């Protein structure tokens, strides 16, 4: 049985719990739990919750006179006349005729409907045009916040009151939770969205109306959604999505930002915490501190010890002087707590260093005016405190709500009274008959405490003899079972640890994050377990890698889109740990595909990691697709993925990956062995040999020199390189600076092909090509037939060697006026460098010291996905018609 207690401080008096069968060693299924507040809120049918009917939606409707054009939030039609019905709490507006059909729960009821609370992952502020806040239902005119995992949009001030109803993307325990159900999210649908039931328009750009399943993309009117089957089949992307039932992550107190490996740089700015936007200073935009001569005063209000520790507070303005009852009511309103003020009190924060201590208590405000509590007038030696903590008044009895979690019973929850003698075991014994489970023994159930916030949901299994009344009074002292740390896998520069103790896992995570080796900070990631036996037979999940720094810096938006279209656990940001963590998570998946979003260098990086991990994978040869984000994108051009990403619908991109054909491509190994060089002190400097992998081409000389100049310019001012057009302009500029450059490369290098010396013509650049595209789509080899060489293919086990005479020649090749100088074709090459020479492999340049370069085949060929040619549409077939007949997802205009 899982007990979900309310948050500390003000809500410590109210408990919510859920009944859960399971062993003490397993992680709990979350019970509903929430903050006891009556404030703005939204959400149509919370995940795992029973939708409230018209009589139980909890709204406080009143008839209002309309003074401007207004639309109904249920049917999205215009409200004709001068009267409408408005909820005083959540701003839900309705026709009179629609009142009986309203199912969206009010904020006073929504938290209690969440049976599986999942915190949101809010990113940084951004402008979201024609979107509406899911809490206050108003338009997002100013910069707002968006969940990185679901389609929840909120104002910064509304974040503390957003219900924890994000998508449940993994199992947080060992129990199978049965069928997967739709996860409905209200509003913010595309303007052309059509209802799956009645086929009429269900989207609106005027109000928060309509619903959409955040797994399968099905869209409907809120009334029509009741006619749909409750089970979700994941829609058109069902074979590519990693089902939540197949992912296990015992996250406990790790935030969802940690679980989904979202860097903290994407988190909101300071002051946007769970407890409100005024977390760092009492004076904000439009708010000025009031001096002693003013008739009003400002006070900092903290919501319990956790709020105090993080310095997250809200500011209230009260008259000077003000009675304690007035200040208390203002403090409760600041946190949207509309309960009886007699159940709360204000306390002065304890001395510094005691906020988190056991039993730390400050002076309670019992009555009288503010001036009487803090001192008697301006001449008093003790000034009135400027900060207060909301706390619950202790009672000899409290009410605890028990939620049945996944037990199939006829009630959402039951309420029991707890006394000083009540323990977790006695509550279980009392609740089982109320849920019709009196025939089962209490040893099969657990009580789990759940602390439910808008950004993080924390939970802990309670011991059988745990006094519940004391637990409610001291809610923030979790106790974890001891465990062990074991090293499960060791990779190149990366280690995977299995941690059985949750407290130890948190400690190690923070320790690694604060550790640096050779001046470089370590990266700590929380990785889930994928359960291959739970995968459906036809499931071939897609492993997505995104490099947000590639090309036009469009990867950040793609990261958010793919996290919403797929399971966030299958989307990895390459700048946060590289590709190895992703391959480790998928190491036991018998069949999967890979999508790499980045430039040619990023694709090479992932393919190199795949080669390193191949012998550890249950699927040793996954097919790899490309979403080109770089500047040249030559491999993406050859595989028909285009010259570069230009804002296509991510859903359409995933459909193209699903329909792509598999082709083979050679991979090549380049061994770089530099000669010994004597330093200034006469001591030999030996540069160790290194090995790099090549997919596209390797350039020596002038083309590598241009790439090196571009790379250095981008490193100096990365913010300027935000578009492919600008990047190509920089290439042109550095090329013009080298147009008269001549170094006679043919005199500085020697080339052997298949151990045969090859005489080089007068050239400035030597290029080994594996694919028929170079320098942003140019055909360097040319299309003319030549009896000396075979027709080039990227899977023939041969490389073509081409020379260029300078920048002018390179420009003519890229313009289609000439081709390169054909020199050789083979499978084994040895290049001797007599001087330090610029070298580039797949767009990654450096200066190579004098020595040898040996190029040879790199083992098995890699499986790449080539985009299928578009099929001709029949007359009368609507554009982008979907095979499953489902509606377009968010962002698809059709």
């Amino acid at each position: 049985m899982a007990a979900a207690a309310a948050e500390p401080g003000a809500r410590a008096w109210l408990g919510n719990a859920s009944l859960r069968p399971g062993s003490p060693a397993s992680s709990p299924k979350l019970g509903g739990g929430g903050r006891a507040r009556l404030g703005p809120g939204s959400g149509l049918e919370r995940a795992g919750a029973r939708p409230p009917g018209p009589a139980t939606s909890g709204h406080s409707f009143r008839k209002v006179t309309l003074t401007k054009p207004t639309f109904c939030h249920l049917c999205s039609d215009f409200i004709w006349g001068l009267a409408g019905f408005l909820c005083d709490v959540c701003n839900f507006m309705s026709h009179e005729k629609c009142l009986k059909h309203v199912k969206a729960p009010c904020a006073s009821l929504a938290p209690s409907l969440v049976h599986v609370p999942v915190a949101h992952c809010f990113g940084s502020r951004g402008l979201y045009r024609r979107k509406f806040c899911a809490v206050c239902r108003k338009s997002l005119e100013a910069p707002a916040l968006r969940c990185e995992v679901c389609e929840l949009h909120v104002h910064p001030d509304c974040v503390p009151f957003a219900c924890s109803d994000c998508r449940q993307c993994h199992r947080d325990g060992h129990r199978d939770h049965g069928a997967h159900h739709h996860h409905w999210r209200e509003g913010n649908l595309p303007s052309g969205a059509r209802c799956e039931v009645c086929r009429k328009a269900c989207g609106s750009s005027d109000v928060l109306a309509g619903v959409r399943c955040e797994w399968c993309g099905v869209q409907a009117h809120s009334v029509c959604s009741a006619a749909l089957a409750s089970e979700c089949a994941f829609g058109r992307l069902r074979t590519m999505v990693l089902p939540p039932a197949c992912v296990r992550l015992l996250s406990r107190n790790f935030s969802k930002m940690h679980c989904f490996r979202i860097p903290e740089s994407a988190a909101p700015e300071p002051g946007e915490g769970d407890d409100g936007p005024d977390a760092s200073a009492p004076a904000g935009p439009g708010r000025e501190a009031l001096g002693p001569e003013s008739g009003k005063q400002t006070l900092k209000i903290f919501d319990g010890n956790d709020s105090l520790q993080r310095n997250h507070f809200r500011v209230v303005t009260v008259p000077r002087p003000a009675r304690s009852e007035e200040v208390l009511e203002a403090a409760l309103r600041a946190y949207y707590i509309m309960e009886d003020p007699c159940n709360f009190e204000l306390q002065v924060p304890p001395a510094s260093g005691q906020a988190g201590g056991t039993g730390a208590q400050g002076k309670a405000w019992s009555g009288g005016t503010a001036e009487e509590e803090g001192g008697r007038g301006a001449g008093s030696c003790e000034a009135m405190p400027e900060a207060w903590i909301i706390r619950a008044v202790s009672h000899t009895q409290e009410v605890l709500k028990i939620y049945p979690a996944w037990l199939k019973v006829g009630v959402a929850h039951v309420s029991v009274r707890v006394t000083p003698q009540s323990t977790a075991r006695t509550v279980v014994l009392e609740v089982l008959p109320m849920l019709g489970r009196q025939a089962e023994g209490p040893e099969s159930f657990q009580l789990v405490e759940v602390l439910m916030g808008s950004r993080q949901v924390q939970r802990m299994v309670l011991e059988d003899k745990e006094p519940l009344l004391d637990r409610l009074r001291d809610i923030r002292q979790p106790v974890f079972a001891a465990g062990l740390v074991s090293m499960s896998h060791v990779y190149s520069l990366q280690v995977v640890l299995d941690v059985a103790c949750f407290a130890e896992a948190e400690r190690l995570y923070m320790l690694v994050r604060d550790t640096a080796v050779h001046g470089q900070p370590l990266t700590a990631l929380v990785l889930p377990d994928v359960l291959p036996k739970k995968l459906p037979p036809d499931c071939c999940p897609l492993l997505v890698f995104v490099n947000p720094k590639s090309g036009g810096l469009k990867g950040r938006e793609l990261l958010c889109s793919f996290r919403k279209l797929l399971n966030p656990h299958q989307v990895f940001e390459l700048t946060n740990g590289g590709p190895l963590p992703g391959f480790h998570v998928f190491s036991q998946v018998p069949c999967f595909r890979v999508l790499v979003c980045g430039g040619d260098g990023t694709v090479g990086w992932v393919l190199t990691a795949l080669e390193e991990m191949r012998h550890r994978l249950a699927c040793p040869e996954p097919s790899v697709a490309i979403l080109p984000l770089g500047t040249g994108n030559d491999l993406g051009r050859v595989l028909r993925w285009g010259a570069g990403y230009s804002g296509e619908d991510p859903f359409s991109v995933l459909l193209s990956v699903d329909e792509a054909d598999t082709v083979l491509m050679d991979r090549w190994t380049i061994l770089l062995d530099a000669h010994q060089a004597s330093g200034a002190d006469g001591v030999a400097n030996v540069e160790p040999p290194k090995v790099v992998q090549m997919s596209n081409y390797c350039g020596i000389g002038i083309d590598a020199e241009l790439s090196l100049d571009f790379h250095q310019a981008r490193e100096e001012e990365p913010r300027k390189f935000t578009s492919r057009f600008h990047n190509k302009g920089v290439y042109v500029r550095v090329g013009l600076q080298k147009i008269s450059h001549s170094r006679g490369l043919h005199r500085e290098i020697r080339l052997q092909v298949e151990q045969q010396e090859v005489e080089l013509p007068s050239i400035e650049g030597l290029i080994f090509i594996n694919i028929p595209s170079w320098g942003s789509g140019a055909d360097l080899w040319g299309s003319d037939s030549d009896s000396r060489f075979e027709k080039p293919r990227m899977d023939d086990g041969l490389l073509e060697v081409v020379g260029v005479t300078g920048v002018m020649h390179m420009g003519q090749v890229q313009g289609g006026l000439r081709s390169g100088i054909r020199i050789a074709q083979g499978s084994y090459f040895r290049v001797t460098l007599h001087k330090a020479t610029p070298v580039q492999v797949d767009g990654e340049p450096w200066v190579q010291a004098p020595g040898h370069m040996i190029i040879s085949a790199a083992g098995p060929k890699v499986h790449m996905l080539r985009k299928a040619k578009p099929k001709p549409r029949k007359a009368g077939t609507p554009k982008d018609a979907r095979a499953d007949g489902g509606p377009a997802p968010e962002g698809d205009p059709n």
Side-chain angles (χ1 to χ4, degrees):
M1 179 157 76
E7 292 191 1
R11 264 93 51 204
W13 60 274
L14 175 65
N16 295 297
S18 61
L19 191 64
R20 180 183 71 85
S23 63
S26 64
S27 179
K29 172 83 170 185
L30 301 185
R35 307 170 68 152
R37 59 173 178 258
L38 186 65
S42 68
L44 181 72
E45 293 175 348
R46 306 299 178 184
R50 300 175 178 81
T56 61
S57 59
H59 291 287
S60 300
F61 284 114
R62 62 182 175 89
K63 192 172 184 179
V64 295
T65 301
L66 304 179
T67 58
K68 59 182 180 180
T70 307
F71 295 83
C72 177
H73 290 195
L74 181 68
C75 65
S76 71
D77 290 341
F78 184 77
I79 299 179
W80 296 96
L82 300 177
F85 288 82
L86 175 70
C87 176
D88 286 328
V89 177
C90 66
N91 299 322
F92 192 103
M93 178 66 73
S94 173
H95 290 104
E96 183 176 7
K97 64 180 182 180
C98 293
L99 286 177
K100 60 182 179 181
H101 300 296
V102 174
K103 292 187 176 182
C106 184
S108 59
L109 185 66
S112 63
L113 297 177
V114 181
H115 283 190
V116 185
V118 180
H120 294 284
C121 301
F122 292 111
S124 56
R125 295 190 186 191
L127 291 174
Y128 304 105
R129 303 294 185 188
R130 307 186 76 84
K131 299 288 186 181
F132 296 88
C133 177
V135 174
C136 67
R137 312 184 72 91
K138 297 180 180 179
S139 177
L140 300 177
E141 301 292 345
L145 299 175
R146 176 186 64 182
C147 179
E148 297 282 326
V149 177
C150 69
E151 280 297 327
L152 186 85
H153 295 73
V154 291
H155 293 108
D157 286 349
C158 295
V159 169
F161 314 106
C163 201
S164 297
D165 62 343
C166 194
R167 288 194 298 165
Q168 185 183 14
C169 300
H170 59 263
R171 292 168 50 186
D172 212 336
H174 301 278
R175 179 171 292 273
D176 189 354
H177 305 324
H180 187 82
H181 297 277
H182 290 296
H183 186 102
W184 297 113
R185 177 68 61 198
E186 185 182 14
N188 293 323
L189 304 184
S191 57
R194 298 226 167 242
C195 177
E196 181 72 8
V197 178
C198 67
R199 307 309 301 173
K200 297 180 180 179
C202 60
S204 174
S205 58
D206 301 300
V207 291
L208 197 71
V211 294
R212 175 179 180 268
C213 175
E214 294 189 300
W215 284 107
C216 66
V218 167
Q219 299 162 143
H221 295 101
S222 59
V223 175
C224 296
S225 63
L228 295 172
S230 61
E231 294 187 9
C232 177
F234 297 103
R236 177 64 179 81
L237 304 177
R238 57 186 173 273
T239 60
M240 309 178 74
V241 174
L242 190 62
C246 305
V247 185
R248 182 178 64 203
L249 179 61
L250 308 184
S251 57
R252 288 294 176 95
N253 292 340
F254 283 110
S255 74
K256 286 298 178 285
M257 301 289 281
H258 296 155
C259 295
F260 298 138
R261 303 165 304 280
I262 301 176
E264 293 186 358
S265 58
E269 304 166 1
E272 297 172 10
D274 294 39
D275 297 292
D278 304 309
S280 56
R287 183 190 298 119
E288 298 180 357
L290 303 175
E293 67 280 357
S294 171
K296 295 185 178 182
Q297 55 187 336
T298 58
L299 302 175
K300 296 179 184 179
I301 305 298
F302 293 93
D303 184 20
N305 282 345
D306 182 62
S307 170
L308 183 64
Q309 288 177 334
R310 293 180 289 137
N311 195 33
H312 286 178
F313 57 85
R314 296 183 77 87
V315 174
V316 299
T317 303
V318 296
R320 186 193 303 268
R323 296 195 60 81
S324 60
E325 291 82 359
E326 297 177 274
V327 179
L328 179 58
E329 291 178 1
L332 295 178
R333 282 197 303 270
Y335 285 98
Y336 289 87
I337 303 172
M338 308 303 285
E339 304 296 327
D340 188 352
C342 296
N343 292 323
F344 303 91
E345 66 180 4
L346 294 178
Q347 292 184 356
V348 178
S352 177
Q354 296 179 347
T358 303
Q361 298 290 334
K363 181 180 68 175
W365 195 348
S366 56
T369 66
E371 297 295 342
E372 293 169 351
E373 288 293 329
R376 304 294 178 179
S380 173
C381 60
E382 181 183 1
M384 199 276 293
E386 296 182 354
W388 297 88
I389 304 177
I390 306 177
R391 294 199 186 279
V393 176
S394 298
H395 296 284
T396 56
Q397 292 185 354
E398 302 287 359
V399 176
L400 192 68
K401 290 182 180 179
I402 308 298
Y403 284 75
W406 61 75
L407 293 178
K408 296 180 179 179
V409 296
V411 295
H413 62 80
V414 296
S415 299
V416 297
R417 288 190 177 274
V418 292
T419 65
Q421 291 74 37
S422 299
T423 63
R425 173 56 68 91
T426 61
V427 169
V428 171
L429 291 172
E430 183 179 355
V431 167
L432 287 178
M434 302 170 68
L435 297 177
R437 297 296 182 113
Q438 59 270 19
E440 302 183 38
E443 61 277 357
S444 301
F445 298 87
Q446 294 175 322
L447 200 65
V448 177
E449 173 187 285
V450 177
L451 300 163
M452 182 174 160
S454 61
R455 295 183 190 277
Q456 188 172 1
V457 176
Q458 301 180 358
R459 57 223 97 109
M460 188 184 68
V461 178
L462 298 179
E463 299 290 340
D464 287 344
K465 297 182 180 180
E466 180 83 34
L468 294 187
L469 196 60
D470 292 343
R471 189 66 191 169
L472 290 175
R473 294 170 180 171
D474 192 15
I475 206 68
R476 276 290 185 184
Q477 297 184 32
V479 179
F480 296 95
L484 299 175
V485 180
S486 61
M487 187 179 300
S488 62
H489 295 80
V490 179
Y491 303 109
S492 175
L493 301 179
Q494 295 186 341
V495 177
V496 179
L497 300 177
D498 285 337
V499 187
C501 173
F502 293 107
E504 185 67 10
E506 290 181 288
R507 188 188 70 82
L508 286 176
Y509 182 85
M510 301 307 298
L511 178 63
V512 172
R513 289 181 54 196
D514 296 337
T515 303
V517 177
H518 301 301
Q520 297 294 325
L522 297 180
T523 299
L525 300 177
V526 179
L527 300 179
D529 292 326
V530 176
L531 309 177
K533 294 182 179 180
K534 296 289 185 180
L535 288 170
D538 62 341
C539 183
C540 185
L542 185 68
L543 175 59
V544 181
F545 294 108
V546 181
N547 187 351
K549 295 184 178 180
S550 291
L553 300 179
K554 296 179 179 178
R556 185 65 60 189
E557 193 64 27
L558 282 172
L559 270 170
C560 188
S561 297
F562 287 138
R563 286 189 184 117
K564 294 175 181 179
L565 291 170
L566 304 170
N567 191 320
H569 288 300
Q570 61 189 110
V571 181
F572 288 79
E573 182 177 344
L574 288 172
T575 56
N576 189 24
L580 280 179
F583 286 122
H584 171 78
V585 171
F586 273 60
S587 60
Q588 301 304 313
V589 178
C591 178
F592 68 93
R593 289 168 289 183
V594 179
L595 173 62
V596 183
C597 307
D600 290 338
T602 301
V603 177
W605 183 14
V606 173
L607 292 179
T608 300
L610 175 60
E611 185 66 27
E612 179 181 343
M613 287 283 297
R614 189 186 301 272
H615 65 286
R616 300 174 184 257
L617 300 178
C619 176
E621 296 180 348
S623 300
V624 181
I626 301 171
L627 182 57
L629 301 182
T631 303
N633 303 313
D634 289 289
L635 186 55
R637 297 169 191 264
V638 172
L639 297 175
R640 299 183 188 147
W641 295 106
Y645 178 72
S646 56
E648 293 86 356
D649 176 24
F651 180 82
S652 299
V653 172
L654 295 179
L655 290 182
S656 298
V657 172
D658 194 33
E659 299 167 355
D661 305 316
T662 301
V663 296
L664 296 177
M665 184 182 72
D666 296 324
R667 285 272 289 167
W668 299 84
T669 296
I670 304 177
L671 173 63
L672 303 169
D673 188 6
H675 293 317
Q676 292 187 6
S678 298
D681 54 0
V683 179
N685 296 326
V686 181
E687 183 177 330
K690 68 177 182 178
V691 177
V692 296
Q693 303 289 329
M694 184 192 86
S695 300
N696 302 354
Y697 41 73
C698 170
I700 304 173
I702 184 62
D703 73 313
E705 191 172 347
L706 296 183
S707 295
L708 185 61
D709 290 346
F710 171 83
H711 179 75
Q712 291 173 344
R714 182 168 59 180
E715 289 294 314
E716 292 175 359
E717 297 179 292
R719 294 184 178 180
K720 291 185 177 181
F721 292 78
T722 57
S723 69
R724 288 192 300 273
F725 182 78
H726 176 269
N727 295 356
K728 292 180 179 180
V730 175
Y731 262 117
V732 172
R733 188 175 72 246
V734 298
L736 293 176
Q737 294 172 353
K738 305 281 186 180
I739 197 167
S740 59
H741 173 82
S742 177
R743 63 181 292 169
L745 182 69
H746 59 288
R747 294 189 295 269
E748 299 178 357
I749 65 174
R750 289 174 52 205
L751 174 64
Q752 290 181 336
V753 181
E754 310 292 356
Q755 299 183 352
Q756 298 292 325
E757 193 82 21
V758 175
E759 184 178 354
L760 295 176
S762 178
I763 57 175
E764 295 296 327
L766 186 67
I767 304 169
F768 300 82
I769 55 177
N770 184 46
I771 61 175
S773 179
W774 168 86
S776 300
D779 186 2
L780 189 60
W781 182 260
S783 58
D784 297 337
S785 60
D786 192 331
S787 59
R788 298 177 300 164
F789 307 108
E790 298 181 16
K791 184 178 180 180
R793 296 199 325 269
M794 65 181 185
D795 63 343
D796 58 2
L798 299 175
L799 282 179
E800 289 69 47
V801 185
V802 185
V804 292
T805 59
V807 174
M808 185 65 71
H809 187 184
M810 293 170 59
Q812 292 172 335
V813 171
Q814 291 183 333
L817 303 178
R818 291 179 61 184
S819 58
I821 302 173
R822 297 179 182 178
I823 297 176
Q825 190 179 51
S827 59
Y828 181 86
F829 306 88
R830 184 185 184 95
V831 181
T832 303
L833 305 178
H834 300 301
K835 295 182 179 179
T837 307
V839 175
Q840 66 103 351
V841 174
D842 292 346
E844 302 298 322
W846 71 91
V847 176
Q848 179 61 30
H852 299 290
M853 295 176 56
I854 299 176
I855 306 175
S856 59
K861 305 177 189 296
V862 295
H863 294 247
M864 305 298 294
L865 288 173
R866 181 172 60 191
K867 187 176 182 180
K869 293 183 178 179
K871 298 178 182 179
R873 290 191 294 114
K874 298 180 181 180
T877 301
K879 183 180 178 182
D880 287 340
R882 284 166 173 76
D884 62 352
E890 175 70 21
D892 193 333
N894 298 299

